Amino acid sequence: MSTRTEGENPDHHDANPEQPEMPLVEHLLELRNRLLKMVLAVAICFAVIYPFANELYLWLAEPIRTLLPVGQTMIATDITSPFFAPLKLALFLSVFAAIPIILYQLWSFVAPGLYTHEKRLAFPLLFTSVVLFYLGAAFAYFVVFPLVFGFFTAIGPEGIVELPDISSYLNFVLKMFFAFGVAFEIPIATILLILSGATTPADLAAKRPYVVVGCFVIGMMLTPPDIISQTLLALPMWILFELGILFGRLAKREVEDPYTDEPPAE
């Protein structure tokens, strides 16, 4: 990608060394190559994961299978579910596994157009966003699922046999993975809002009561209608919001410190 010149941003003097301006066609070709590499990464991961799709589905269903009465199993109410449910899971896990490569390709595409101080912050933010998304999914699987499924299986009426459908269960857990993965990105979103000038750490701190209420509202919308899963999503969101304010202050100080920028290239 082409780099910005010093005149485009008079507040910073740390532009990259001069590179020839790339025409639009070359930008589009580079973007196409990056997208092809992303698709190839997902395809390779899928080729590796799909042979184990059935075993992976059993692992994914373990939190609810362990709570079913002895002799009861999950069922498939659609004749195509035994094929499409593991296939869908394998595709999801392929994208999940390829996220580092996908973000690296995006980073490689935009990095040449960034200033030095922007690069210094952008790559750690990208890396942290991947780690936080994985942590959110792991938190959902190891902490939230056992509690939520234990709650649902314990409140059922007497005489009702619980036979979870494999497709419905998969859709539910994928939704929960996505909800917790995105929720754990709150520190990154907070830092970006602060760095963009859309708000300040002081303004965010002053709106803390509204944020707490908003966390519980979001938890209510994204999770099943029980207080356990709603609270397990709302509390981490609030804690991550506070961490976002803390690290946002540090990142803003890093950007505003004139001594942290490199001198312009001759």
Side-chain angles (χ1 to χ4, degrees):
M1 290 184 62
S2 61
T3 59
R4 292 177 289 186
T5 60
E6 187 175 322
E8 291 175 343
N9 192 339
D11 297 329
H12 299 285
H13 305 285
D14 57 347
N16 294 331
E18 289 295 330
Q19 297 178 1
E21 186 89 13
M22 290 177 61
L24 177 61
V25 174
E26 291 190 26
H27 279 298
L28 294 177
L29 289 175
E30 182 185 1
L31 178 59
R32 183 201 64 179
N33 292 335
R34 298 293 179 187
L35 291 175
L36 288 175
K37 290 179 180 178
M38 296 178 198
V39 173
L40 180 61
V42 174
I44 293 175
C45 291
F46 181 80
V48 174
I49 291 174
Y50 182 69
F52 308 98
N54 289 335
E55 291 80 0
L56 289 171
Y57 189 93
L58 291 177
W59 172 80
L60 185 68
E62 189 66 19
I64 196 169
R65 289 172 61 237
T66 57
L67 297 172
L68 294 176
V70 177
Q72 293 183 9
T73 63
M74 301 180 70
I75 63 172
T77 57
D78 190 324
I79 193 172
T80 61
S81 294
F83 171 75
F84 281 110
L87 177 69
K88 183 177 179 180
L89 175 61
L91 183 59
F92 173 82
L93 292 177
S94 300
V95 176
F96 198 69
I99 283 179
I101 298 175
I102 293 172
L103 289 180
Y104 173 78
Q105 294 301 325
L106 292 174
W107 164 256
S108 299
F109 181 73
V110 303
L114 299 178
Y115 290 97
T116 303
H117 73 282
E118 293 172 334
K119 287 184 179 181
R120 202 159 48 230
L121 291 173
F123 188 77
L125 288 177
L126 278 175
F127 177 79
T128 305
S129 66
V130 175
V131 174
L132 287 174
F133 189 88
Y134 286 158
L135 286 177
F139 182 81
Y141 182 83
F142 291 105
V143 178
V144 178
F145 287 175
L147 294 175
V148 171
F149 297 144
F151 172 79
F152 283 136
T153 55
I155 64 172
E158 287 289 336
I160 299 297
V161 179
E162 296 191 22
L163 299 173
D165 176 67
I166 60 174
S167 293
S168 298
Y169 175 81
L170 179 62
N171 292 333
F172 174 82
V173 297
L174 292 185
K175 176 184 175 182
M176 294 289 283
F177 279 146
F178 182 77
F180 278 85
V182 172
F184 271 58
E185 299 293 328
I186 286 179
I188 305 299
T190 304
I191 292 172
L192 291 177
L193 285 173
I194 293 173
L195 293 180
S196 66
T199 186
T200 64
D203 289 339
L204 290 175
K207 294 179 175 62
R208 183 175 288 111
Y210 304 100
V211 171
V212 174
V213 174
C215 289
F216 279 90
V217 171
I218 294 174
M220 180 179 60
M221 293 188 298
L222 295 181
T223 60
D226 67 281
I227 191 63
I228 298 176
S229 57
Q230 294 171 8
T231 303
L232 287 175
L233 179 59
L235 288 180
M237 289 174 64
W238 177 29
I239 295 173
L240 292 167
F241 168 75
E242 299 293 342
L243 291 176
I245 295 178
L246 174 62
F247 288 108
R249 288 194 179 100
L250 298 177
K252 188 174 180 63
R253 190 178 307 162
E254 171 77 10
V255 171
E256 292 178 344
D257 186 357
Y259 297 103
T260 61
D261 291 339
E262 296 179 2
E266 297 295 335

